[in-house]
Amino acid sequence: MKAGFEEELLSLRVDKDSFLRDDMDSPIPLGERSSFKGLNYFPPDENYRVTSKLERFDAPTSIMMGTSTGTLQAYVRYGALTFKIEGKIIKLIVYKSAEDPYARSLFVPFSDQTSGRETYGAGRYLDIEEQGGDDHILDFNTAYNPYCAYSGEYTCPIPPAENKLPVRILAGEKNYK
């Protein structure tokens, strides 16, 4: 299991680095792409791949989430994921895009005790696909920086205070520079 987990994760990282270096839709500024050697990542760690329980809210509410440029973006506060990490039981609020609340994609913006130090100051994101049941895998090894970490040209949602984790998540992407 461990070798397959690491192999798959490293393959995803190679693909992402290739996209960031070579794709015309890359958020890396054009002048920096030729010298781009790849993102900085924490080493793969299965301890940051956890089973979580999704509690869907009976009455999801619409919220406006602040962004990196001072604007607001609409989301639906959909539910909460509960999981255990570093011996602590933690809850993260899960959002859906207000533009497509029936999509299966769940947006999990978060910050943690590495934010502004080893990782992007505003926080990082996880995307998960909603499954039929309540159990979901949260793999913090796939935590990624928002596009605004690479360029001020982008508008990115800032993880809400309710999703500030009381632990250091030593997994996923580190600071870009």
Side-chain angles (χ1 to χ4, degrees):
M1 169 77 177
K2 184 175 171 99
F5 156 76
E6 284 187 19
E7 219 172 78
E8 184 179 333
L9 185 62
L10 295 175
S11 175
L12 289 171
R13 290 176 175 183
V14 166
D15 289 348
K16 180 156 190 178
D17 287 345
S18 177
F19 165 79
L20 291 173
R21 182 180 45 257
D22 303 325
D23 197 280
M24 64 186 230
D25 291 328
S26 169
I28 304 283
L30 199 53
E32 296 177 24
R33 291 185 198 169
S34 63
S35 61
F36 178 72
K37 303 277 191 258
L39 294 177
N40 299 310
Y41 298 95
F42 288 101
D45 187 339
E46 283 194 279
N47 292 317
Y48 290 103
R49 183 179 163 87
V50 297
T51 301
S52 63
K53 188 73 77 181
L54 176 62
E55 173 196 336
R56 293 167 188 85
F57 296 144
D58 291 335
T61 54
S62 294
I63 64 142
M64 298 303 287
M65 199 176 294
T67 70
S68 57
T69 57
T71 60
L72 297 172
Q73 288 182 358
Y75 286 89
V76 174
R77 198 169 176 273
Y78 181 70
L81 289 165
T82 303
F83 56 97
K84 190 173 185 177
I85 205 160
E86 291 187 10
K88 293 182 169 89
I89 295 174
I90 296 176
K91 189 175 281 200
L92 271 175
I93 302 302
V94 177
Y95 302 88
K96 283 191 168 195
S97 168
E99 293 174 10
D100 191 4
Y102 299 104
R104 291 179 31 168
S105 181
L106 301 175
F107 178 53
V108 187
F110 72 95
S111 60
D112 66 281
Q113 300 304 307
T114 68
S115 299
R117 297 172 182 87
E118 297 101 321
T119 63
Y120 183 61
R124 295 178 285 165
Y125 302 157
L126 287 170
D127 295 318
I128 59 175
E129 288 297 308
E130 185 172 15
Q131 308 299 318
D134 297 333
D135 292 333
H136 289 73
I137 298 294
L138 263 185
D139 190 350
F140 287 98
N141 291 283
T142 63
Y144 66 95
N145 292 324
Y147 274 14
C148 52
Y150 311 114
S151 167
E153 302 283 317
Y154 293 91
T155 298
C156 307
I158 296 172
E162 66 186 348
N163 275 4
K164 181 160 182 62
L165 303 179
V167 295
R168 291 167 48 84
I169 301 293
L170 302 174
E173 292 180 14
K174 293 182 175 183
N175 277 325
Y176 169 51
K177 291 183 178 182

